Amino acid sequence: MEFTISGRLRRRGAGMLCASGAIVAGLVAWLAVRGMPGSPAGPLTAAGFALLAALRGTADLRRARKPFRLRIDAFGLTLHDAEVSWEQVDAVALEYRDTGEDSQPSKPRLVLWTAAGARLPRPADRRYDAWFAEALGVLADQRVRYTLLDTGDLDQPLGALSAALAEYGGAHFETAPRSLREPVPVTVSGPEGGQRPGQVFTVPGRALPWVLCLVLALACTEPVAGAFLGQRAPVPIGLLGPDFAVAAGAWFFTVRLYARWRRPRRLAVGPEGLSARARPGGPEVHFGWPQVAALTVGPHPAAPDAHTWLTVWPLPGTDLPPTTPRHLVAGHLACPLTPLTPFPPTLIPALHPFAGERLAPPT
């Protein structure tokens, strides 16, 4: 499959130049009508934005004119200056930048690690982390890495690039940190479980909290209702105000706890995918199997605790709902689904027929 970047770069560059021209035209018209203001801060700020937009637009247009080619097929990767077979590739990944905001990660970069003895006719990435690791005397990643593409410039959808890497890259496509699992071929066609029925695992909640709140709510509502209907109050009039406040709070928590009890923690797995509700009454997160690149069982990816978590590593380009928890781990996107501590031990064997090679052994 062939991928290009010139179309988006030209459109973005032309847009930035048009924005720069609009800012300059507006500034000139404003100065012609209003004259030079007492403080030059406003015109200078507008001129600065126009200059930055013009520089960015010019840079994008110049990049669009540079030679670029990216073709991914059964042979390997064909670039404008080299042809790299899969035997010459140690790993390839779509690596996200850590911007400090887990909710909205930036577009990933396509990076390539060459096998031993293989090199590209272009400078390799400067690995400052490897330099610091060597200076501190700790183990560093000595693989030679090349950044091939910023997918924010890609004309085609990111999902198309992920699907091509999954289809042709096989075990070379790195979808999770190597510290958690070795790369294995990604299956994007569907589950391996065939027509087997799915299973639903539920952690039942406790009904006692909302029942006690209901009893308290009824007990505090009765004197207030009696006074409202004109009956003789069984308690002093001065206590009706606190009774009303306690009754309102008890009814609120009764409804809240009852809703949580009716929607307990659950994990469902089947031919269509897997869905999980991590906390009672919370949102339910669903992943179809074509969206899942890897499944790991181990500590929480962001803040390890005493629980064992089931974590989904989605295929880059997957459209995730806003309620989906997400974290960046070594350039890869991780979605912790739920802790596995309360679930029965038969859950992991039930995942195997559907997850197949996506499921990594527990760590």
Side-chain angles (χ1 to χ4, degrees), residues 334-346:
C335 299
L337 281 187
T338 180
L340 299 179
T341 305
F343 289 100
T346 57

Side-chain angles (χ1 to χ4, degrees), residues 86-93 165 168-174 178 183-185:
W86 290 117
E87 290 74 16
Q88 298 174 298
V89 175
D90 180 67
V92 62
L165 292 172
Y168 298 112
H172 299 285
F173 185 25
E174 191 173 290
R178 289 202 172 193
V184 297

Side-chain angles (χ1 to χ4, degrees), residues 187-206:
T187 301
V188 296
S189 58
E192 291 76 14
Q195 299 301 320
R196 296 187 183 186
Q199 297 188 46
V200 179
F201 299 87
T202 305
V203 179
R206 294 181 299 173

Side-chain angles (χ1 to χ4, degrees), residues 236-308:
I237 298 297
L239 295 180
L240 291 180
D243 275 348
F244 178 80
V246 174
W251 280 115
F252 172 80
F253 284 107
T254 299
V255 174
R256 187 180 182 90
L257 293 175
Y258 179 75
R260 289 166 57 91
W261 179 72
R262 288 296 304 271
R263 292 172 54 84
R265 295 181 54 190
R266 69 187 295 269
L267 179 64
V269 57
E272 297 81 14
L274 72 163
S275 59
R277 186 184 299 122
R279 64 179 188 275
E284 189 163 348
V285 180
H286 175 77
F287 285 94
W289 290 119
Q291 300 173 322
V292 178
L295 276 172
T296 56
V297 178
H300 192 283
D305 52 22
H307 298 288
T308 301

